[in-house]
Amino acid sequence: MSQTQSQLKLLTFDEFIEWYPENSELRYELHDGVIVEMPKPKGEHSDLTGFLIEELLITIREMGKRGIWSIPKESIIKPYRDKSGYEPDIIVLNQETIDTETRWKQESVIHNASSVKLIVEVVSSNWRDDYYDKLRDYEAMGIPEYWIVDYAALGGRVFIGSPKVPTIFVCELIDGEYQMTPFREKNLIVSPTFSQLNLTVQQIFDSVI
């Protein structure tokens, strides 16, 4: 993760959106007022993300939610804090409530938890963002479910053990706090939102081999 410019003034979310270049091939996020160029995804990261999107779309159809739940190509999440903005690897939106998003059509901005069914972040070298900052902000927003997919075991040992083990965390919002459940190897993913998902951790991780 690298700062894209030297800034004396920390930007607000609105200033970040105004700055964001149209049709950019690069992805940017705003972290505590600083514009950050996100690491270019490696092939494994892209393969895994693509595999998960395909599986989630299949499950959406099986659950009879086609046309109701959708996965956009890109979107920007606006947390309650005014100096941060994130672009998730995967976000499942609820089209039944998307009309409450006043900035969606023009800016692809989501700021209401009611519009979101699931957010997935596939862990890269900037793993602390996924385990700390985004977990905190998605929790504060009230996002009902958040996955941390740590296929390369990059996260801290406090999360994934010692020796480190590739892990998927399903974070379910219960009484305003995330309950983090780790899944590894042949564990079947248990998702409160995608109850019909029939997928093991190993099947997900095998998509990058």
Side-chain angles (χ1 to χ4, degrees), residues 2 7 12 16 65 73 78 86 91 93 104 120 144 146 148 150 152 154 160 181 183 196-197 201 204:
S2 61
Q7 297 173 350
T12 65
F16 167 62
K65 297 294 186 178
K73 180 180 178 182
K78 181 186 184 302
Y86 307 127
I91 185 170
L93 296 180
W104 173 246
V120 179
Y146 169 45
I148 302 173
D150 197 347
L154 297 174
I160 59 176
T181 303
F183 296 91
Q196 295 186 24
L197 185 68
V201 172
I204 296 172

Side-chain angles (χ1 to χ4, degrees), residues 152-166:
L154 297 174
R157 291 179 177 84
V158 67
F159 296 106
I160 59 176
S162 181
K164 294 185 176 184
V165 178

Side-chain angles (χ1 to χ4, degrees), residues 128-183:
R128 289 176 178 82
D129 296 339
D130 300 326
Y131 278 97
Y132 292 104
D133 296 346
K134 294 181 181 180
L135 185 142
R136 172 199 60 200
D137 287 341
Y138 294 157
E139 180 184 74
M141 288 181 68
I143 303 298
E145 186 172 350
Y146 169 45
W147 292 11
I148 302 173
V149 180
D150 197 347
Y151 72 96
L154 297 174
R157 291 179 177 84
V158 67
F159 296 106
I160 59 176
S162 181
K164 294 185 176 184
V165 178
T167 303
I168 294 176
F169 287 95
V170 173
C171 306
E172 179 184 3
L173 193 70
I174 299 176
D175 295 330
E177 296 182 4
Y178 276 143
Q179 303 299 312
M180 298 177 66
T181 303
F183 296 91

Side-chain angles (χ1 to χ4, degrees), residues 25-130:
E25 295 183 359
L26 300 174
R27 295 174 59 218
Y28 300 93
E29 293 186 343
L30 185 69
H31 290 232
D32 296 319
V34 178
I35 295 175
V36 173
E37 180 183 317
M38 303 309 292
K40 185 173 178 60
K42 297 180 180 179
E44 290 182 342
H45 185 289
S46 298
D47 287 343
L48 190 150
T49 302
F51 175 80
L52 268 180
I53 289 173
E54 182 179 1
E55 291 296 321
L56 289 171
L57 287 173
I58 290 172
T59 306
I60 287 171
R61 289 195 293 270
E62 291 175 346
M63 294 176 66
K65 297 294 186 178
R66 185 175 184 178
I68 301 173
W69 296 358
S70 64
I71 301 178
K73 180 180 178 182
E74 58 189 25
S75 64
I76 297 177
I77 293 288
K78 181 186 184 302
Y80 289 146
R81 296 184 304 129
D82 190 47
K83 288 184 169 58
S84 292
Y86 307 127
E87 187 170 347
D89 289 309
I90 303 173
I91 185 170
V92 179
L93 296 180
N94 183 4
Q95 294 298 320
E96 292 179 318
T97 57
I98 201 70
D99 287 343
T100 65
E101 300 293 348
T102 57
R103 304 178 66 168
W104 173 246
K105 289 184 178 180
Q106 298 298 322
E107 300 170 312
S108 300
V109 170
I110 295 293
H111 59 85
N112 293 323
S114 61
S115 302
V116 181
K117 304 303 296 185
L118 170 69
I119 286 179
V120 179
E121 297 287 4
V122 180
V123 177
S124 299
S125 56
N126 53 332
W127 64 268
R128 289 176 178 82
D129 296 339
D130 300 326

